[in-house]
Amino acid sequence: KNEVEQSPQNLTAQEGEFITINCSYSVGISALHWLQQHPGGGIVSLFMLSSGKKKHGRLIATINIQEKHSSLHITASHPRDSAVYICAVEDNQFYFGTGTSLTVIP
Amino acid sequence: DGGITQSPKYLFRKEGQNVTLSCEQNLNHDAMYWYRQDPGQGLRLIYYSQIVNDFQKGDIAEGYSVSREKKESFPLTVTSAQKNPTAFYLCASSPYLGTGVGSPLHFGNGTRLTVT
């Protein structure tokens, strides 16, 4: 049973394209996290949100609590955005999606 | 700068040997976690600790052991009982856990363990 489902699993985009990654979850949560994992393996936190929308530079994260769905958008994508993006939800522990591997081609 | 340090980055061991992975944080976080990452799977929880001298098993604790003698340190031992130990191991921390309010999650850079 997967508490967190992400789509797509893999995504290739041309530089400059608008990108959307989706996350659906099945448990009650206190927060949803978007994480970024680069090829070296380290993971950094991009967003933590429990309602509405957050924006940081070219990245936007939204969440719909009623529908149990979140999206991560990347505007004007760039090759340096190439990474694995992981959705995680938090209640009494953290549950992780399997990640979306994004490749942005120059 | 505050953060989580995992060492070593790469580790090679022979089958049948125990090995200990280091995780140190200077973020003053109460909660610490060990996750295992395998290709095509989400992060799976091995052990977590919410306070010094206390820890709980996660979903895949068999063949692993931990200690939490200091707030800053949460080492993971992969024992010879772990049937498939080759994997990427990530340590993480958060200020708290399970309070009903979101808790920022911080990760180390991981240790890639290969057992042959």
Side-chain angles (χ1 to χ4, degrees):
Chain A
K1 171 177 174 281
N2 293 325
E3 291 83 0
V4 183
E5 298 280 355
Q6 280 185 244
S7 63
Q9 283 190 319
N10 297 286
L11 183 55
T12 300
Q14 291 288 333
E15 183 174 355
E17 284 186 6
F18 181 84
I19 288 162
T20 296
I21 299 170
N22 295 300
C23 175
S24 297
Y25 55 92
S26 59
V27 295
I29 66 170
S30 54
L32 183 141
H33 302 253
W34 281 103
L35 310 168
Q36 181 190 55
Q37 184 172 31
H38 277 280
I43 295 176
V44 296
S45 177
L46 298 175
F47 295 103
M48 180 181 74
L49 64 166
S50 55
S51 65
K53 176 179 171 177
K54 286 191 175 181
K55 184 175 189 290
H56 181 69
R58 295 180 294 105
L59 273 59
I60 303 166
T62 64
I63 188 168
N64 184 318
I65 296 293
Q66 287 72 33
E67 295 185 3
K68 294 188 174 180
H69 182 269
S70 175
S71 293
L72 176 68
H73 304 287
I74 304 175
T75 62
S77 60
H78 189 276
R80 65 174 174 266
D81 297 324
S82 298
V84 175
Y85 292 85
I86 300 170
C87 172
V89 299
E90 177 187 356
D91 59 4
N92 290 321
Q93 61 171 295
F94 292 89
Y95 301 93
F96 297 85
T98 55
T100 295
S101 179
L102 170 66
T103 302
V104 181
I105 299 169
Chain B
D1 284 340
I4 299 179
T5 301
Q6 286 187 245
S7 61
K9 189 173 175 68
Y10 298 96
L11 192 52
F12 298 88
R13 279 293 182 271
K14 294 289 187 187
E15 199 174 308
Q17 293 180 334
N18 291 356
V19 59
T20 297
L21 281 58
S22 169
C23 177
E24 303 279 332
Q25 56 103 355
N26 60 4
L27 298 165
N28 200 34
H29 286 174
D30 283 328
M32 296 187 74
Y33 316 83
W34 274 105
Y35 294 98
R36 171 179 171 141
Q37 188 177 39
D38 294 283
Q41 298 194 41
L43 297 175
R44 292 186 290 166
L45 181 64
I46 304 172
Y47 270 97
Y48 68 102
S49 167
Q50 292 181 269
I51 197 167
V52 174
N53 292 323
D54 187 47
F55 47 83
Q56 281 76 44
K57 292 182 180 180
D59 301 317
I60 55 166
E62 186 175 346
Y64 300 98
S65 66
V66 293
S67 63
R68 186 89 186 272
E69 297 175 3
K70 297 186 299 181
K71 188 173 186 177
E72 304 79 25
S73 180
F74 192 41
L76 172 74
T77 296
V78 184
T79 75
S80 56
Q82 167 51 232
K83 290 182 171 51
N84 186 19
T86 294
F88 187 59
Y89 292 88
L90 282 155
C91 178
S93 72
S94 63
Y96 38 80
L97 177 66
T99 62
V101 178
S103 183
L105 195 56
H106 297 252
F107 284 87
N109 286 327
T111 293
R112 193 166 299 278
L113 173 64
T114 302
V115 177
T116 58

